[in-house]
Amino acid sequence: MTIETLRTPLLDPIAHGFLGRRGGVSAGIHGGLNVGLGSEDDRDSVAENRRRARGAVLPGAQLVTCYQIHSAEAVTVLVPPEEGVRPHGDALVTNQPGLLLGILTADCAPVLFADAEAGVIGAAHAGWKGAFGGITDATLLAMEALGARRDRIAAAIGPCIARASYEVDAAFLRRFVAQAPENERFFADGTRPDHYQFDLEAYVAHRLAAAGVARVAALGEDTYGQEDRFFSFRRATHRGEPSYGRQISLIGLPL
């Protein structure tokens, strides 16, 4: 099966892609293009999937991923990390050709950034904790430090869990409303008393717009509801499965 690579004209001509689970070699509950080093999948299969993912977006580039910790830490990468080394954080930024930045997700929102004129790119892992804490703001600041201009930066939000699939409790809602009362608009009534449906994609888009990013694309793809296309942590949890796959979103500057 061919690798499914979702792109947006907003980030052109920068090489990029939001990849799903189609086109890999993993089997069973990890079936497809699982790139998660932290999953219980076969290590050789994960390595082959990562090789295929890289080839689908920027052949010959060096893939750089981080050890994601649901933080607001953005890491600037100017030289390729040593083999097997993954910097701790939840965003990567570079201006170096030949580096392919990768973010792994399985319901959280992947966000790809580009200032094509400056040749500065970024990739962020925006789960609710990272988005709430400011991971997109940290990515923008790191890009500006490399010469990007905020009014030129474009950002795209890839496949993530949709509001219809993301029920949270009242304490979760109160946390966001305490941050800003207008955040209540990202919640709808849930299926149970004192539960709500949270729109992660819309919240991330709001954070980007509030930070001064005028060009934002949201793909509107629900990872939970499309089992044939995407991995989902919440879906695996609801089924009691012992592990789950991760998909990857990539952006890079050619040599």
Side-chain angles (χ1 to χ4, degrees), residues 71-76 91 93 113 133-144 150 207:
S71 70
E73 295 294 324
V75 179
T76 299
V93 168
F113 301 77
I135 187 59
T136 51
D137 300 271
T139 308
L140 294 168
L141 288 171
M143 292 178 68
E144 287 176 323
R150 195 163 299 209
R207 290 295 298 254

Side-chain angles (χ1 to χ4, degrees), residues 15-78:
H16 70 281
F18 297 97
L19 281 58
R21 70 185 300 173
R22 293 176 177 170
V25 301
S26 294
I29 59 175
H30 303 104
L33 194 75
N34 172 37
V35 297
L37 295 171
S39 67
E40 301 300 320
D41 197 2
D42 175 73
R43 311 319 293 160
D44 290 339
S45 295
V46 172
E48 173 61 17
N49 289 336
R50 290 168 77 96
R51 187 193 67 77
R52 291 188 179 195
R54 183 187 66 212
V57 175
L58 193 59
Q62 180 158 344
L63 176 61
V64 181
T65 59
C66 49
Y67 188 97
Q68 297 171 188
I69 54 177
H70 295 277
S71 70
E73 295 294 324
V75 179
T76 299
V77 183
L78 300 179

Side-chain angles (χ1 to χ4, degrees), residues 22 38 40 59 70 87 94 96 99 160 190 211 215:
R22 293 176 177 170
E40 301 300 320
H70 295 277
T94 194
Q96 298 300 303
L99 296 182
C160 61
R215 294 183 298 148

Side-chain angles (χ1 to χ4, degrees), residues 175-216:
R175 181 185 292 111
F176 278 77
V177 172
Q179 182 188 62
E182 61 268 25
N183 284 342
E184 188 171 1
R185 70 184 186 272
F186 302 116
F187 296 83
D189 288 341
T191 60
R192 295 175 290 167
D194 294 323
H195 282 73
Y196 304 88
Q197 307 295 138
F198 177 53
D199 195 336
L200 174 64
E201 183 181 67
Y203 176 74
V204 173
H206 159 71
R207 290 295 298 254
L208 290 165
V213 180
R215 294 183 298 148
V216 178

Side-chain angles (χ1 to χ4, degrees), residues 5-9 12 15-18 56-57 219:
T5 306
L6 303 178
R7 298 185 175 89
T8 171
D12 289 341
H16 70 281
F18 297 97
V57 175
L219 272 62

Side-chain angles (χ1 to χ4, degrees), residues 149-169:
R149 267 185 24 197
R150 195 163 299 209
D151 62 336
R152 290 195 308 236
I153 294 173
I157 307 166
C160 61
I161 192 166
R163 182 167 68 178
S165 304
Y166 196 2
E167 190 170 66
V168 299
D169 60 22

